[in-house]
Amino acid sequence: MIIGPTQWVKSSYSSPEGGNCLEWAPTSASTTGIVPVRDSKTPQGPVLAFPAASFATFIAAVKGAEFSN
């Protein structure tokens, strides 16, 4: 999948020191129904693409601590 020019937004959970850096493209997500996600430290690297409904389910599970030990 090729993601065209888009505005990437750094996750509010990413550290400002350059540690865990995740970016996503909300405009692309709202217009295509696909949520593109990438590592902000390597913006030329791979982009993962998730259907918006699946990504929303994943985020809800993370917020609900369904993946905690």
Side-chain angles (χ1 to χ4, degrees), residues 17-38:
E17 294 82 32
N20 301 322
C21 300
L22 178 77
E23 293 181 323
W24 71 299
T27 302
S28 179
S30 65
T31 59
T32 67
I34 300 295
V35 180
V37 178
R38 72 180 184 184

Side-chain angles (χ1 to χ4, degrees), residues 7-61:
Q7 170 113 21
W8 291 93
V9 176
K10 191 172 184 180
S11 168
S12 60
Y13 291 95
S14 294
S15 74
E17 294 82 32
N20 301 322
C21 300
L22 178 77
E23 293 181 323
W24 71 299
T27 302
S28 179
S30 65
T31 59
T32 67
I34 300 295
V35 180
V37 178
R38 72 180 184 184
D39 183 343
S40 67
K41 296 182 301 298
T42 54
Q44 301 81 13
V47 173
L48 301 176
F50 301 96
S54 297
F55 195 72
T57 299
F58 171 71
I59 295 299

